[in-house]
Amino acid sequence: MFNNLIYNIPKTEHSEENLKKVLTAHPEIKFVSLVGIDLSGNDTDEKIPMKIFLEDIDGFLKGAIQTDGSSVVLPGIASLNNAKVDMIADTEVNWFVDYNYENIDFETGKPVGSLRIPCFLIHEDKAVDSRHLLKNSITYMKETLLGFYKDYPELLVPYGITVDDIADIEATSATELEFWVKTPQEKAHVEQLSTSQVLQEQYWTRTKGSVRTALEEALILMEKYGLEPEMGHKEVGGVKATLSEDGSLTHIMEQLEIDWKYSDAVQTGDNELFVRILVKETFRRHGLDVNFLAKPINGVAGSGEHTHLSIALKLKNGKRINLFAPTTKHFLSIYGYASVMGVLKNYEVINPFVSTTNDSFRRLKPGFEAPICIVTSLGHSVDIPSRNRTILLGVIRDTSNPLATRFELRAPNPHTNTYLVLGTLFMACIDGISYAITNKKTEDDLLAELSKKSGTPADYLEKGRAYRSEEDVFEDYTEEERKKLFGKAPATVYENLTSLNKYPEKVEILTKGDVFTDKIINSFKTGAEKRWLTEITNRIIPGYINEIRKYKILHNVEKALDLDISNWQKINDLRYYLMKDSHSSKSLFTKVIEAATSGDYAAVSNLQVEMDTKMEELRKYYSNYKRNLLDL
């Protein structure tokens, strides 16, 4: 099935002549799909017959295709009365061929393919999509750095080069993909999953049956697509499957992770998007559901998507210099320290782009290595790299390989819009770098400022905060200490989005160079608020109602003990408080819906926190109630 197919068309082969030659030689590729990414991270997909593409390749690539911008997430930009959006192909990235292995072409005997061409979305002659925002942020970072090298040539002395030796400045990145896989209709048994997690029964253990086959097939396909997979393994979540009479495994529910090689930043976003499609379709062919939610099961570890970042100089002689790697005996270079400081100082306005869904905040809670505190860890010593998994921004070093020096943001999840997050990170990095260079800061200066205690004044970082800890953030600090030192983490999407209004001076670092314009930020915020409210009223509350209705009285009144009766009374009181209205009082659910209808978002946010807390109490009470019953 995998033989004699082409899986990608590299960016070096996008000439009209070559495209016509390749696509004519592969008639199984029957469709073209332009892939634009809106501000919510949704990707467009359409089936345009290959014949139309081949008739006018040049015109097609330069903007012959239009779409209805009001149908994607661009609120305040593309409206019903101004919805025209042009789709301009991006010829500077690799293009993937998406094969439908369930539709075999009669003439060729091969699966039907669709050539996915990443594109930019243009409205009123301005790019308004996530991919272009990332591209613009990288351009701004490069231009700023090159300007510094011209103004401060001494910056390049440690590398033994001049500005004329630089061919390019590369923004490199990598992501990873954690996900849950299960047999359809399988229900989560939280206590079993939680116990297995605490006992560490699943992490990196052997995969079996259809899960193993699907994982191996996905990794083989990734290799063919040139994505260079590095590892696929079981993650911490999951329970042991059941062996059926025919020897197959059923009741599958486990968590997996796939990693692949880094790339330039825009290509990284495209690669991640395609890997999600490839994984989901591959596992589906083997009868398995894949879930990319950040927290699909309450009480069990969620799925993260750590985002790695570095900046490198590409020299005309082909050599690469990692700007984060130190040139002296230090954890990081000036650029590395300054980039970490830029991200931490401005994280309040980065976080809205990282965590934009209700699901993401179910994951970002203390415990389960949840990165909720704005703090970094550099390691216990320069000589021996270490990893602190309780912090937000981790520094990764390999003393034998300077090119591997990078940092990882640990808060993103599989539904995070990687393009926007990387864009905000690069803007924050260059803000920190600008501070360091223009103020002639040394590595010692920056390390001292990054390591300062709360209350110590600093030139760049805030006086009342601490930014570095080599301790376990959750075990070695109380909740109050964490809030005082590292800031109070937002509890809801709404709280997170309010930072875009609360910190105008930090928003300014995103708008430099007209990268994130006010119009783009407001559009993103409007779309995120709409999704937040719609999900609460149309999905979360109806889901909670269905769950509550399943919590029924189970004890025999004649045989029940006083504890059973009191346990049920607590449960029933909560059920009524959450969802039962009367003439004299309104339920919590009704209060949430009414606040949403009236546009009182702050009230919705506060009520949502209470609602989720009460549901957690209800689940706990019902579990304890059932555990004490002899007969069910």
Side-chain angles (χ1 to χ4, degrees):
M1 182 183 294
F2 301 147
N3 296 326
N4 303 316
L5 298 176
I6 62 166
Y7 293 89
N8 65 49
I9 302 180
K11 58 185 177 182
T12 55
E13 300 179 13
H14 291 168
S15 68
E16 182 175 357
E17 180 183 1
N18 186 72
L19 288 172
K20 187 167 291 188
K21 178 181 177 182
V22 170
L23 295 171
T24 302
H26 288 274
E28 70 275 7
I29 305 176
K30 295 190 176 299
F31 302 101
V32 169
S33 175
L34 286 175
V35 183
I37 313 296
D38 67 17
L39 297 181
S40 182
N42 302 315
D43 59 307
T44 61
D45 185 30
E46 60 283 303
K47 299 295 179 185
I48 301 171
M50 183 59 67
K51 178 183 177 182
I52 295 176
F53 180 75
L54 292 174
E55 286 174 351
D56 185 17
I57 294 177
D58 186 63
F60 197 100
L61 297 183
K62 293 180 179 178
I65 302 300
Q66 300 175 8
T67 189
D68 178 5
S70 64
S71 298
V72 294
V73 182
L74 297 170
I77 296 175
S79 56
L80 287 173
N81 63 340
N82 189 14
K84 176 179 172 290
V85 171
D86 294 319
M87 307 175 80
I88 308 295
D90 185 353
T91 59
E92 298 179 359
V93 293
N94 300 330
W95 299 347
F96 298 118
V97 182
D98 181 18
Y99 286 105
N100 182 358
Y101 296 103
E102 296 165 320
N103 183 14
I104 305 301
D105 178 40
F106 179 76
E107 294 180 354
T108 65
K110 298 177 182 179
V112 170
S114 296
L115 177 62
R116 288 172 58 88
I117 302 179
C119 73
F120 303 118
L121 303 178
I122 311 297
H123 183 263
E124 294 184 337
D125 297 325
K126 294 181 180 179
V128 293
D129 62 284
S130 297
R131 296 183 78 259
H132 207 278
L133 282 166
L134 173 55
K135 184 177 181 180
N136 281 351
S137 72
I138 295 169
T139 299
Y140 175 77
M141 179 198 69
K142 289 181 179 181
E143 291 175 349
T144 304
L145 273 177
L146 284 173
F148 284 141
Y149 290 141
K150 292 175 182 177
D151 294 338
Y152 305 94
E154 65 272 17
L155 291 169
L156 296 174
V157 171
Y159 304 114
I161 61 172
T162 68
V163 69
D164 293 331
D165 296 317
I166 299 173
D168 195 10
I169 297 175
E170 297 182 328
T172 60
S173 181
T175 57
E176 58 199 32
L177 191 62
E178 294 180 6
F179 56 95
W180 281 82
V181 58
K182 69 182 186 71
T183 42
Q185 307 304 318
E186 182 68 21
K187 302 296 183 183
H189 301 284
V190 177
E191 290 183 358
Q192 294 179 26
L193 288 165
S194 180
T195 300
S196 178
Q197 177 177 301
V198 172
L199 294 176
Q200 298 180 313
E201 294 175 330
Q202 294 291 312
Y203 194 48
W204 280 27
T205 58
R206 183 173 177 269
T207 53
K208 304 179 184 69
S210 57
V211 174
R212 173 181 176 176
T213 303
L215 179 61
E216 291 174 348
E217 186 175 312
L219 292 170
I220 291 170
L221 279 171
M222 287 175 65
E223 192 71 54
K224 291 182 178 293
Y225 277 105
L227 294 165
E228 299 184 78
E230 296 180 334
M231 187 184 300
H233 63 85
K234 279 194 177 185
E235 253 295 335
V236 66
V239 290
K240 186 177 180 180
T242 302
L243 190 66
S244 67
E245 293 182 357
D246 64 3
S248 62
L249 293 175
T250 63
H251 302 295
I252 294 168
M253 183 171 288
E254 48 194 89
Q255 190 182 30
L256 303 176
E257 178 180 327
I258 289 178
D259 307 319
W260 58 95
K261 193 175 181 180
Y262 67 88
S263 186
D264 70 80
V266 177
Q267 188 67 63
T268 290
D270 292 347
N271 291 351
E272 177 202 311
L273 180 64
F274 191 73
V275 169
R276 288 211 310 255
I277 294 170
L278 187 150
V279 165
K280 199 169 186 81
E281 287 300 300
T282 301
F283 278 79
R284 186 184 60 78
R285 287 197 299 274
H286 292 277
L288 297 167
D289 283 341
V290 167
N291 189 314
F292 294 126
L293 289 173
K295 192 76 168 178
I297 307 167
N298 284 307
V300 182
S303 295
E305 186 178 81
H306 303 160
T307 299
H308 299 246
L309 191 72
S310 63
I311 305 171
L313 299 181
K314 180 181 179 182
L315 306 185
K316 292 176 181 177
N317 63 9
K319 182 181 177 182
R320 281 178 170 77
I321 298 173
N322 186 333
L323 286 179
F324 287 178
T327 56
T328 59
K329 193 174 179 60
H330 257 277
F331 292 102
L332 294 166
S333 68
I334 290 173
Y335 307 95
Y337 285 130
S339 292
V340 169
M341 290 166 63
V343 171
L344 294 176
K345 178 183 178 180
N346 296 293
Y347 191 71
E348 284 89 354
V349 297
I350 297 172
N351 197 10
F353 297 92
V354 175
S355 302
T356 61
T357 62
N358 291 295
D359 180 61
S360 63
F361 282 93
R362 282 192 284 271
R363 170 177 170 257
L364 297 178
K365 295 181 183 297
F368 303 113
E369 300 175 355
I372 63 170
C373 298
I374 304 176
V375 60
T376 191
S377 165
L378 300 178
H380 295 288
S381 74
V382 172
D383 297 319
I384 304 176
S386 59
R387 295 280 297 274
N388 184 341
R389 298 178 62 84
T390 67
I391 45 81
L392 173 72
L393 196 67
V395 172
I396 300 175
R397 299 186 301 124
D398 183 344
T399 53
S400 64
N401 180 16
L403 285 175
T405 303
R406 62 194 187 277
F407 65 71
E408 66 167 356
L409 185 67
R410 298 178 55 79
N413 65 81
H415 280 302
T416 294
N417 185 337
T418 295
Y419 301 98
L420 294 188
V421 169
L422 287 175
T424 61
L425 289 174
F426 284 120
M427 295 302 289
C429 286
I430 199 64
D431 185 66
I433 291 171
S434 297
Y435 156 73
I437 291 176
T438 56
N439 289 279
K440 300 185 182 301
K441 297 291 184 178
T442 66
E443 288 93 339
D444 289 337
D445 295 333
L446 296 173
L447 176 59
E449 184 167 353
L450 182 57
S451 306
K452 78 178 191 67
K453 303 296 183 182
S454 173
T456 303
D459 294 336
Y460 182 70
L461 297 177
E462 296 173 20
K463 177 181 177 181
R465 299 275 286 274
Y467 294 90
R468 177 188 175 190
S469 175
E470 302 304 329
E471 309 299 325
D472 185 315
V473 171
F474 299 110
E475 293 294 330
D476 298 327
Y477 300 94
T478 66
E479 182 177 356
E480 288 305 311
E481 287 173 333
R482 287 196 297 267
K483 290 179 182 178
K484 179 181 178 181
L485 294 174
F486 313 124
K488 181 179 180 294
T492 68
V493 173
Y494 175 76
E495 279 189 24
N496 205 15
L497 292 172
T498 57
S499 293
L500 295 172
N501 297 327
K502 187 177 179 181
Y503 299 100
E505 73 285 358
K506 297 184 180 184
V507 171
E508 285 181 6
I509 71 118
L510 302 180
T511 59
K512 288 180 179 178
D514 286 330
V515 176
F516 284 81
T517 63
D518 291 337
K519 194 171 186 179
I520 287 288
I521 291 173
N522 288 333
S523 180
F524 167 82
K525 181 181 176 184
T526 300
E529 284 178 343
K530 181 179 179 181
R531 290 194 309 277
W532 168 64
L533 282 175
T534 301
E535 187 178 16
I536 289 174
T537 56
N538 293 2
R539 285 185 178 170
I540 293 178
I541 288 180
Y544 282 169
I545 288 173
N546 289 335
E547 183 179 351
I548 289 170
R549 286 172 176 160
K550 294 177 183 177
Y551 295 148
K552 300 180 182 295
I553 188 169
L554 298 174
H555 62 269
N556 185 311
V557 176
E558 296 178 354
K559 298 180 180 179
L561 302 179
D562 53 357
L563 182 58
D564 300 323
I565 295 171
S566 64
N567 281 343
W568 173 251
Q569 189 60 53
K570 285 192 296 186
I571 292 166
N572 211 32
D573 288 345
L574 258 182
R575 291 169 76 233
Y576 272 68
Y577 179 76
L578 282 161
M579 69 169 284
K580 190 70 173 175
D581 291 336
S582 69
H583 286 299
S584 59
S585 64
K586 295 177 181 178
S587 69
L588 186 56
F589 292 165
T590 296
K591 291 177 183 178
V592 173
I593 293 171
E594 288 183 349
T597 302
S598 66
D600 190 347
Y601 295 171
V604 175
S605 177
N606 292 331
L607 291 169
Q608 181 186 13
V609 172
E610 182 185 4
M611 179 175 69
D612 290 345
T613 300
K614 295 297 184 184
M615 285 300 300
E616 283 296 310
E617 290 178 8
L618 181 59
R619 294 182 187 112
K620 181 180 178 181
Y621 289 160
Y622 199 71
S623 176
N624 291 337
Y625 167 65
K626 286 176 63 178
R627 190 180 294 117
N628 197 54
L629 298 178
L630 291 173
D631 300 313
L632 289 178

